[in-house]
Amino acid sequence: MAFYEIPLQVGNQKFNVTLGKTIYKLRIIYRTNQWYLDILNTVEKPLITGLLMCAGIDLLEQYKHVINGSLYVVNFEQDEIAKYGYLGSKIKLYYED
């Protein structure tokens, strides 16, 4: 198994990414001082929505029947909340196949 960093930018965003052998669309939105992740298929049908991007847990743990693999958030500013400007620099997203 290998870890892959999913490149993120500052700000709300929506982009395609390959997880395993499947292309998904990720939508990341900042709400109420937290980052949230939605995973959609390529025609934008929601598969998983409203995932709080918490560091240190497998975001896909309870969704193995939907998507194979694991998604992890790492916050390199662990003493602080997930600030808006930290996404992509101090807050990173990793996929493990």
Side-chain angles (χ1 to χ4, degrees):
M1 293 190 183
F3 279 93
Y4 304 96
E5 182 177 349
I6 298 172
L8 303 175
Q9 299 175 359
V10 173
N12 296 337
Q13 54 203 277
K14 182 168 48 171
F15 57 91
N16 288 338
V17 65
T18 301
L19 303 178
K21 296 179 182 179
T22 306
I23 299 172
Y24 297 97
K25 187 167 292 231
L26 301 186
R27 180 172 50 204
I28 300 174
I29 300 171
Y30 193 74
R31 289 186 221 124
T32 60
N33 297 323
Q34 293 289 332
W35 286 103
Y36 291 87
L37 171 67
D38 297 330
I39 302 174
L40 310 109
N41 66 14
T42 55
V43 294
E44 299 196 17
K45 177 184 174 192
L47 301 174
I48 303 169
T49 59
L51 286 175
L52 178 62
M53 292 179 63
C54 285
I57 63 168
D58 177 4
L59 300 180
L60 298 178
E61 180 65 35
Q62 61 184 348
Y63 300 101
K64 300 296 182 190
H65 63 286
V66 179
I67 298 175
N68 291 323
S70 299
L71 276 176
Y72 297 98
V73 173
V74 177
N75 183 352
F76 292 97
E77 286 291 328
Q78 295 176 5
D79 295 337
E80 296 189 33
I81 62 169
K83 293 184 180 176
Y84 183 82
Y86 286 179
L87 191 67
S89 61
K90 296 178 182 180
I91 298 171
K92 303 219 176 226
L93 183 62
Y94 295 91
Y95 173 72
E96 180 183 30
D97 59 6

